[in-house]
Amino acid sequence: MIVGFVFLITGIAKALNSEQFIHHNYRYGLLPPKIVPQVAITFIGLESALGLALIFHEFPQWLIPVSILFLIGSSGLILWSTSSGKTEDCGCYGGLVIITPQQSILLNLGYILLLGIGLFYPIANHHTQTWQWILALIVGVSASTLGWLSRQKPLVDFSRLKLGNHWKRRWLKDSPNDLQQGSHFVVFLSKDCPYCKRWVPFLNMMNTQKDLPQVLGIMSLPSDELEAFQDEQMVRFPLVSMDKLLFSYMADAYPTAILIEDGVMTQKWIGEIPEPYLDRIKQMYERVLLKKTEPISS
């Protein structure tokens, strides 16, 4: 029952926001890209149906061994994908919680132990009722349907950068700015993103304007690589590193920018420079050029 509730909850969580899970499966590179969404959504339905079937103890002689094999395969996939650098985590919990690969494997071992207990100590005189497996089938189809509907836009947004959420101090321990006070323009950048590099001159200029929010760049790089990026791109605004696993949950695309006002996320942009700030920089440039072209009075 415990394992069933875990499968059911994580399956529904993925169904309500399947885009992140689909993207996670793309990163494996094991399937042709054209069929990845369909496979991921089918998996969501099967996981949800399996969860409910375990709760009702349906066909235990079949479903418990299948669940154990699934958890063993999942653990192997986690080891392979994280050690090869394809992913930072298992993607198992639909963004509800952030756990390390090691923690995920330990949890899987715990689930296998519980399933083993259920297999060797079955409920006496238990019989699966017809309505139970029909309900599990309905849940599986419903979860897949929700997953298909949420592949472009989440039905429920579990993002840490959801507008209205509070910025947590523990997310960024080394921030030079106090994000709980004042107005801050926080940008998530990737060293392999060409658009991020194009943003740097704009962010440099924005950081010099006292009437605009303070700029803070965030990356998931070791200190030496972070310093190299700063030097190569001539970064003139504060740039700090975030834990790689947490960083992967904060933004799905780069650059992603958020406006934080007194600790609350109020606006969000993905891949586009905010027009009001861009216009402000353009006006500043125009004033500087105008001063340079004005004739010097005698």
Side-chain angles (χ1 to χ4, degrees):
M1 184 176 290
I2 293 172
V3 179
F5 271 115
V6 171
F7 284 2
L8 181 60
I9 292 170
T10 56
I12 293 175
K14 294 188 188 81
L16 295 174
N17 187 1
S18 64
E19 182 182 9
Q20 186 177 34
F21 184 63
I22 292 171
H23 179 71
H24 192 86
N25 280 267
Y26 275 123
R27 297 180 65 183
Y28 290 139
L30 296 174
L31 298 171
K34 290 183 178 180
I35 67 171
V36 166
Q38 291 84 350
V39 171
I41 289 170
T42 300
F43 177 88
I44 289 171
L46 291 175
E47 181 181 21
S48 303
L50 178 59
L52 189 62
L54 289 173
I55 292 172
F56 287 143
H57 206 65
E58 299 177 24
F59 309 112
Q61 69 275 22
W62 301 106
L63 291 187
I64 291 180
V66 166
S67 300
I68 292 174
L69 290 175
F70 163 72
L71 289 166
I72 293 173
S74 175
S75 299
L77 184 62
I78 293 168
L79 283 172
W80 168 75
S81 65
T82 55
S83 62
S84 62
K86 292 182 179 295
T87 64
E88 289 77 34
D89 72 322
C90 65
C92 310
Y93 295 89
L96 288 176
V97 294
I98 300 176
I99 61 174
T100 65
Q102 294 81 5
Q103 291 170 332
S104 180
I105 292 173
L106 288 175
L107 284 172
N108 284 353
L109 292 175
Y111 301 150
I112 290 172
L113 176 62
L114 291 174
L115 289 169
I117 294 172
L119 183 63
F120 288 105
Y121 297 93
I123 299 174
N125 301 319
H126 174 78
H127 297 284
T128 301
Q129 302 296 321
T130 302
W131 68 267
Q132 293 177 327
W133 65 262
I134 291 178
L135 182 59
L137 180 62
I138 292 173
V139 167
V141 173
S142 300
S144 292
T145 302
L146 291 174
W148 184 258
L149 295 174
S150 67
R151 70 192 188 281
Q152 298 296 336
K153 183 179 180 181
L155 300 177
V156 177
D157 190 359
F158 298 117
S159 171
R160 271 71 185 167
L161 301 184
K162 183 179 178 181
L163 299 185
N165 282 0
H166 287 263
W167 181 270
K168 309 296 184 184
R169 292 183 187 273
R170 65 176 183 272
W171 290 344
L172 202 61
K173 298 178 181 179
D174 299 326
S175 174
N177 302 334
D178 183 4
L179 301 180
Q180 305 301 317
Q181 297 181 351
S183 183
H184 302 269
F185 188 74
V186 179
V187 187
F188 292 83
L189 304 168
S190 170
K191 70 172 184 178
D192 300 320
C193 166
Y195 293 103
C196 296
K197 297 173 183 178
R198 295 176 189 173
W199 274 45
V200 170
F202 163 76
L203 296 174
N204 284 339
M205 292 301 303
M206 183 176 173
N207 195 51
T208 64
Q209 305 303 302
K210 295 182 179 180
D211 58 341
L212 292 180
Q214 291 181 290
V215 176
L216 178 67
I218 300 178
M219 304 183 76
S220 64
L221 296 174
S223 56
D224 55 338
E225 294 185 30
L226 190 70
E227 292 176 3
F229 183 87
Q230 286 178 302
D231 294 339
E232 292 171 3
Q233 302 302 320
M234 295 183 289
V235 175
R236 298 294 179 263
F237 53 88
L239 188 62
V240 295
S241 182
M242 175 180 279
D243 175 76
K244 191 174 183 180
L245 179 59
L246 176 59
F247 186 85
S248 67
Y249 278 90
M250 299 299 279
D252 296 324
Y254 309 101
T256 292
I258 57 171
L259 179 64
I260 302 177
E261 296 182 294
D262 294 326
V264 179
M265 291 171 254
T266 58
Q267 294 187 67
K268 180 179 177 180
W269 302 267
I270 300 177
E272 58 179 358
I273 297 175
E275 286 293 334
Y277 300 151
L278 185 59
D279 291 341
R280 176 69 180 82
I281 298 301
K282 289 179 178 179
Q283 292 173 6
M284 186 273 296
Y285 265 117
E286 290 173 357
R287 287 199 300 268
V288 171
L289 291 174
L290 183 60
K291 288 182 179 179
K292 287 184 177 181
T293 56
E294 286 179 350
I296 301 175
S297 58
S298 56

